[in-house]
Amino acid sequence: MSSVDRRELDARPDESTIAALREEAEGQDVSIEAHYPAGDDQKRLVVSPRGTVVVLNDVSETTFNRSTSPAEIAAQLRE
């Protein structure tokens, strides 16, 4: 069994998607890597089984710990 579940999303993840990914990652004890479009780029949202969320692109990295709400993460993704 892989420790990373890779997925493609059609749009930027919203609050409910981030919350669902956190629940799935914890329940399945795997990291979930979700690729999504962001303008002309594609980004990756990686969710660990512990609830940490990391947003990756070509030049920077943003990490949100478990105490960061899905709403706060979704708001950051819209900026």
Side-chain angles (χ1 to χ4, degrees), residues 13-60:
D14 60 11
E15 179 180 346
S16 63
T17 301
I18 295 165
L21 291 172
R22 276 182 164 167
E23 288 177 22
E24 288 182 55
E26 180 182 14
Q28 297 174 15
D29 196 28
V30 298
S31 290
I32 297 175
E33 180 181 304
H35 293 249
Y36 65 92
D40 293 335
D41 297 326
Q42 186 174 47
K43 294 189 178 187
R44 290 178 289 152
L45 182 83
V46 181
V47 183
S48 79
R50 295 182 316 250
T52 302
V53 176
V54 178
V55 178
L56 302 167
N57 62 28
D58 292 337
V59 294
S60 67

Side-chain angles (χ1 to χ4, degrees), residues 12-16 18 36 38 43 55 64 70-79:
R12 292 177 194 232
D14 60 11
E15 179 180 346
S16 63
I18 295 165
Y36 65 92
K43 294 189 178 187
V55 178
F64 304 95
E72 291 172 295
I73 298 168
Q76 287 288 321
L77 297 179
R78 290 188 292 270
E79 292 182 359

